[in-house]
Amino acid sequence: MASAPAGPAPAGGRAAGPSRGRRAYPRYVAGKLAGAVVSLFAVLVTSFFLFRMIPGDPVKFMTGGRPVSAEQIAVYRREFGLDLPLWRQFTEYCGKALTGDLGTSYQFRAPVVDKITEALPNTLLLTGTAFVLYTALGAFLGTRSAWRHGRLGDRLNTGLALTLYSVPSFWLGLLLIIVLSVGVDPVPGLFPTGGMESGGEEGFAYVVDVAHHLVLPVVTLVAVEYGQTLLVTRSALLDEMGSDYLTTARAKGLRDDLVRRRHAVPNALLPTVTLVFVNLGRTVAGVILVETVFSWPGLGGLFYQALSVPDLPLVQGLFLVFAAAVILMNTLADLLYPLFDPRVGR
């Protein structure tokens, strides 16, 4: 018996493919956004309970260590809500955080949001400058190393990157201060030991002064961080180099440089893009140890200062901002993946 014609079925099948893709991407986006919300709530809970395990009494700090009466201690605890049961403190903290109120700093007696807003530009200047430099340097050297893998330049690049990536940032910062700020014969002290400005400068002279203070912390961050980008880029490109489409491109007569730039590098971008977005989220958090070593007045230094009290509202607010920046950038990277690889989100 002759089989029935199956003409309409392929048409229906072809139509279902793009339709499923269009329906799948909104679900993909919704899943990523839901995951980000859950992560933020987990951070909110963690930031509240984690820092209450830090040894130290904020009331003693607020009284300056002076002997005070029980009535005065009770006033301080009531003023900052420390007399409430823990569950009441938590619910009030969550409710205020959802409205953008992160509380009042114990040591500065100012809204936490104001202190974060004040220090944020300084952190973005330092870590943003370093981010651009170490991303560009790592991606460039990673590409060159992969394309010439096994040669002397590749071995030197990867060896130096692994060495610097393993070095603690605070140790490298202290070493640079000793050599280039204090000076070691015959090298004189060329840069300030810390801070963001010398004071008293205006206009272009102020810009030059800030740039002068910026050099050593930026060099520290670039030296420690560029290796990660280099290694990820190199690994991703090495995975692509044996692909058939590169052999085909060379067979068509394309120069080796064009094969690398037009074909290999774009297809190896996905892991590097992930890393770039993760590092971009970290630019808001800054690098606590580097900012502390160089006395840079940013969020990292503020976080270290708040931990020493402990200034619970300020520590909680900074931790929430740091984590939220990373979560936001990771989510944005996930949402942009389909632009680089159409298979994602389908």
Side-chain angles (χ1 to χ4, degrees):
M1 180 182 295
S3 59
R14 286 193 297 269
S19 176
R20 283 197 300 269
R22 287 192 294 269
R23 289 195 301 269
Y25 185 68
R27 288 199 300 269
Y28 171 80
V29 171
K32 294 299 180 182
L33 293 179
V37 171
V38 172
S39 298
L40 281 173
F41 179 74
V43 168
L44 196 66
V45 174
T46 302
S47 67
F48 179 84
F49 290 103
L50 176 65
F51 297 111
R52 273 163 174 72
M53 294 188 291
I54 299 174
D57 187 352
V59 174
K60 289 184 179 180
F61 174 83
M62 288 183 276
T63 59
R66 301 185 304 273
V68 293
S69 65
E71 290 78 10
Q72 289 173 306
I73 292 177
V75 169
Y76 277 118
R77 291 190 177 279
R78 194 178 310 112
E79 179 183 353
F80 291 98
L82 295 173
D83 61 327
L84 298 174
L86 193 61
W87 68 269
R88 279 281 307 278
Q89 294 182 43
F90 175 67
T91 55
E92 289 193 3
Y93 166 68
C94 290
K96 290 181 178 179
L98 292 175
T99 63
D101 181 2
L102 299 179
T104 301
S105 168
Y106 295 160
Q107 56 183 320
F108 297 107
R109 303 298 179 91
V112 169
V113 173
D114 291 350
K115 298 303 298 181
I116 292 175
T117 304
E118 179 184 326
L120 180 60
N122 300 337
T123 288
L124 292 180
L125 175 63
L126 170 60
T127 56
T129 303
F131 167 78
V132 171
L133 293 176
Y134 71 66
T135 299
L137 180 64
F140 174 76
L141 292 179
T143 302
R144 305 291 292 186
S145 291
W147 210 249
R148 294 171 171 79
H149 67 283
R151 299 183 186 178
L152 178 62
D154 174 38
R155 293 197 295 271
L156 290 176
N157 275 334
T158 53
L160 181 61
L162 285 169
T163 301
L164 291 176
Y165 187 55
S166 305
V167 170
S169 58
F170 71 90
W171 181 85
L172 181 59
L174 289 172
L175 186 64
L176 290 177
I177 289 175
I178 292 172
V179 175
L180 298 177
S181 293
V182 177
V184 176
D185 289 334
V187 181
L190 301 174
F191 300 97
T193 56
M196 183 176 171
E197 57 179 292
S198 302
E201 304 290 350
E202 296 180 358
F204 183 71
Y206 172 76
V207 175
V208 173
D209 184 44
V210 171
H212 194 211
H213 285 76
L214 195 62
V215 171
L216 289 188
V218 166
V219 168
T220 301
L221 289 176
V222 171
V224 172
E225 297 290 341
Y226 92 96
Q228 186 181 23
T229 307
L230 183 151
L231 295 172
V232 170
T233 304
R234 178 181 181 275
S235 177
L237 191 53
L238 283 175
D239 289 342
E240 293 291 327
M241 286 180 59
S243 301
D244 292 338
Y245 69 90
L246 295 183
T247 304
T248 303
R250 291 190 186 95
K252 290 180 178 179
L254 290 180
R255 297 197 314 273
D256 207 44
D257 185 54
L258 289 177
V259 172
R260 181 179 72 246
R261 287 191 290 110
R262 291 185 182 179
H263 298 280
V265 172
N267 284 285
L269 274 179
L270 200 57
T272 306
V273 168
T274 305
L275 181 62
V276 166
F277 275 94
V278 171
N279 288 337
L280 190 58
R282 290 172 55 200
T283 61
V284 176
V287 180
I288 296 173
L289 292 177
V290 171
E291 288 194 0
T292 302
V293 166
F294 289 98
S295 303
W296 190 266
L299 295 180
L302 189 64
F303 186 76
Y304 177 82
Q305 189 177 353
L307 276 176
S308 62
V309 173
D311 189 339
L312 294 178
L314 187 54
V315 169
Q316 291 168 179
L318 286 167
F319 184 79
L320 183 60
V321 169
F322 295 165
V326 175
I327 292 171
L328 177 63
M329 288 298 106
N330 284 350
T331 304
L332 186 58
D334 288 337
L335 298 182
L336 292 177
Y337 275 173
L339 298 179
F340 299 96
D341 188 345
R343 296 169 296 179
V344 179
R346 294 293 185 267

